[in-house]
Amino acid sequence: MTIAGQAAAGNEREAREEVRKKLLGVWHLVSYTTTSTDGEVIHPFGPTPYGLIVYTPQGYMSAQLGRGDRPPTRSARLEDASAGELARAAVGYVAYGGPFEVIDPTTVEHHVTTSLFPNWIGRSQVRKVGFEGSLLTLGVATPTRLWGAERTAELTWSRPDRPSWAASATAAQ
């Protein structure tokens, strides 16, 4: 490899490491939109989705997101909920996790080892990654079949404020 090639490889490695460092920590879901190839924009989890995505220094990630308007089940206990209630709850929720790697400065790959949707286990979820101010965007790079049409998807995340219980616990010390 030439010296120029070595320098370029080193710069690419540094750029990937910078993205990895920026990803680390906890992010709250701000919005989830999908756009069809003809420009139609929908909000698959409604206007007030919620969620968390966590990236750890050890190289793992976990994402959970849901509809803001999911109705509670009639029972307070998971095992007492009816199959229909649980199915309705699952339709409005996505959860998965596993190792992650930054492929290049604009792409992160989630290697799924656990998922609410079992078909994702053993597969990768590739996302375009971007940062703007305090926001993180993760998106599907090329149109894929989503919610009844060929669409791209974009999820916007922000760093959360410190939990109120954590602030009061610190103040009590």
Side-chain angles (χ1 to χ4, degrees):
M1 182 180 282
T2 67
I3 293 174
Q6 289 173 344
N11 290 342
E12 175 79 11
R13 206 171 17 261
E14 287 176 22
R16 285 194 320 264
E17 181 60 20
E18 183 63 29
V19 169
R20 192 184 81 70
K21 286 178 182 176
K22 284 182 174 182
L23 285 171
L24 296 181
V26 177
W27 300 85
H28 279 186
L29 185 63
V30 174
S31 68
Y32 172 22
T33 59
T34 66
T35 305
S36 67
T37 53
D38 67 2
E40 176 196 25
V41 176
I42 64 169
H43 301 270
F45 281 5
T48 58
Y50 63 92
L52 281 176
I53 192 165
V54 179
Y55 291 95
T56 73
Q58 295 81 12
Y60 286 86
M61 60 75 55
S62 179
Q64 297 193 46
L65 50 149
R67 291 187 63 90
D69 60 357
R70 284 189 323 148
T73 63
R74 286 183 282 172
S75 171
R77 298 180 51 82
L78 177 68
E79 63 271 17
D80 294 335
S82 72
E85 288 177 309
L86 293 174
R88 281 188 299 281
V91 167
Y93 203 80
V94 171
Y96 72 92
F100 78 93
E101 78 181 293
V102 176
I103 302 300
D104 64 46
T106 64
T107 310
V108 64
E109 189 169 348
H110 302 153
H111 301 283
V112 181
T113 59
T114 184
S115 177
L116 177 66
F117 184 57
N119 297 24
W120 283 4
I121 296 172
R123 296 183 174 197
S124 292
Q125 296 292 316
V126 179
R127 299 291 182 257
K128 285 299 184 189
V129 60
F131 299 94
E132 188 172 324
S134 63
L135 299 176
L136 161 66
T137 57
L138 296 173
V140 177
T142 57
T144 189
R145 188 90 179 146
L146 295 168
W147 310 107
E150 290 294 311
R151 300 179 183 278
T152 56
E154 184 172 275
L155 293 95
T156 302
W157 306 84
S158 69
R159 295 275 187 196
D161 293 330
R162 190 170 185 191
S164 58
W165 63 264
S168 59
T170 303
Q173 293 180 353

